[in-house]
Amino acid sequence: MISPRRAPGGFPVVGIIGGGQLARMCQPPAVNLALTLHVLSESPDAAAALVVPSAPVGSHLDVGQVLAFARDCDVVTFDHEHVPAEVLQALVGAGVPVHPKPEALLFAQDKLAMRERLTDLGVPCPAWVPVHDAAELAAFGDLHGWPVVLKTPRGGYDGKGVRVVSSVQEAADWLAHGEVLLAEECVPFTRELAVLAARSPSGQAAVWPTVQTVQTNGICTEVLAPAPQLDPVLAAKISQTALLLAGELDITGVFAVEIFEIAGKAGTAPSYVVNELAMRPHNSGHWTIDGSVTSQFEQHLRAVLDLPLGEVSARAPWTVMGNVLGGDYDELYPTYRHLLARDPGLKVHLYGKGVRPGRKIGHVNVYGDDLDALRVRARHAADYLEGTVTE
């Protein structure tokens, strides 16, 4: 096991379980904060391992490897939410500060637990029920209408583990596994929103402006910050919900609340329901790297170490993020060079991943005064990097 080299002055070591792009994007703010990152990486060429000097290879599923890794850390956090409960409890039992806490992380790992807790708190949610068999699914669909959104309680992301079904027959293969599923009403939403917040162990909290997310084939392809034409009353309610969840769920670190906005009827104000929670820096917050005074990655490091949180106001009236998907090519660098020359104000963030069609390999940010022009610039850059446009 490779031990990290501490920075002079007694600055702490932050351990991150998982070597993906979120851990990678924590490295620049860690350098600026004089912190040392120690990453438990899935492989020597994982995204974070390419930029973090201390990145031993190990599995988040192996209790022994995780405990050995954590010996050199002042605090441990996560690149993803798939660390098993027994591993989390072993860390806590060994006296390692873990953020977010396992009790909070559960509500991102288990959608049924999340729905039950949010409902208890009075947070707006779609109608939902756990279903064990075809009869329970049929009863829910007949009561709330078809189609029904069916989810696996654990393991889903980027559209995986989610299916919209118009009949029991369309869910037959999932029901045949004999495992409990989450059934939700199909909400007639007008757009998808997200709010990002941070909370420290001492209880300080901060909320970024609510953003609009644009989905394509179940993957977020664009983020508009702040959400255009968002009703101010609704924006305040969404921020209040994020702060409520931060306190009631005892969340520490950065987290995201994914939301469906629902149009008001006959002059009534718009409303919303919470779709998902993510207990980590989130794709909907990548705009903050260039568009906010404090990025979500710097804020996450501050929060898990219980440092004072940073300012979260926007640097410009609008920031647009475009996700970059891989294309069918081998060399990305010439394309990258071309974009930097074509648009000097463009900020390109690549994750060091191997390129394959449809894989999320990075994102671009642009910010300024003209939202429509920013969207065009971000979309062109993302499409050019993907190879769907060539000029």
Side-chain angles (χ1 to χ4, degrees), residues 5 84 87 121 171 186 195 200 229 297 319 338 357 361:
R5 186 173 63 185
V87 175
L121 291 172
C186 195
V195 62
S200 63
Q229 301 178 333
F297 300 102
T319 301
H338 169 80
I361 60 169

Side-chain angles (χ1 to χ4, degrees), residues 287-334:
W287 70 274
T288 64
I289 297 175
D290 303 297
S292 175
V293 173
T294 305
S295 78
Q296 64 167 341
F297 300 102
E298 177 182 339
Q299 197 79 300
H300 188 64
L301 295 173
R302 286 175 176 246
V304 301
L305 287 167
D306 211 9
L307 292 170
L309 299 183
E311 172 62 47
V312 293
S313 59
R315 294 181 181 273
W318 302 103
T319 301
V320 176
M321 185 212 77
N323 270 325
V324 175
L325 304 180
D328 188 14
Y329 49 78
D330 296 321
E331 294 294 329
L332 185 59
Y333 188 60

Side-chain angles (χ1 to χ4, degrees), residues 229-262:
Q229 301 178 333
L230 181 62
D231 179 79
V233 174
L234 180 59
K237 289 181 179 178
I238 290 172
S239 294
Q240 290 166 3
T241 295
L243 292 173
L244 171 71
L245 293 176
E248 292 293 335
L249 304 184
D250 197 15
I251 301 171
T252 46
V254 166
F255 68 99
V257 186
E258 299 177 52
I259 290 165
F260 293 145
E261 181 180 1
I262 303 170

Side-chain angles (χ1 to χ4, degrees), residues 37-116:
L37 293 190
H38 187 43
V39 174
L40 186 64
S41 179
E42 296 85 356
S43 67
D45 60 352
L50 299 177
V51 298
V52 178
S54 178
V57 174
S59 172
H60 65 279
L61 304 175
D62 189 305
V63 173
Q65 290 180 3
V66 172
L67 287 175
F69 164 81
R71 279 200 301 264
D72 294 312
C73 304
D74 294 288
V75 62
V76 168
T77 186
F78 311 97
D79 175 79
H80 56 74
E81 295 143 337
H82 306 304
V83 182
E86 58 269 24
V87 175
L88 297 173
Q89 292 304 328
L91 285 170
V92 173
V96 178
V98 175
H99 298 292
K101 299 175 182 177
E103 295 82 2
L105 195 63
L106 170 67
F107 300 112
Q109 293 177 324
D110 189 319
K111 294 180 176 64
L112 279 169
M114 180 265 294
R115 280 284 174 248
E116 183 176 2

Side-chain angles (χ1 to χ4, degrees), residues 114-130:
M114 180 265 294
R115 280 284 174 248
E116 183 176 2
R117 186 72 176 101
L118 265 58
T119 301
D120 290 343
L121 291 172
V123 173
C125 294
W128 65 277
V129 70

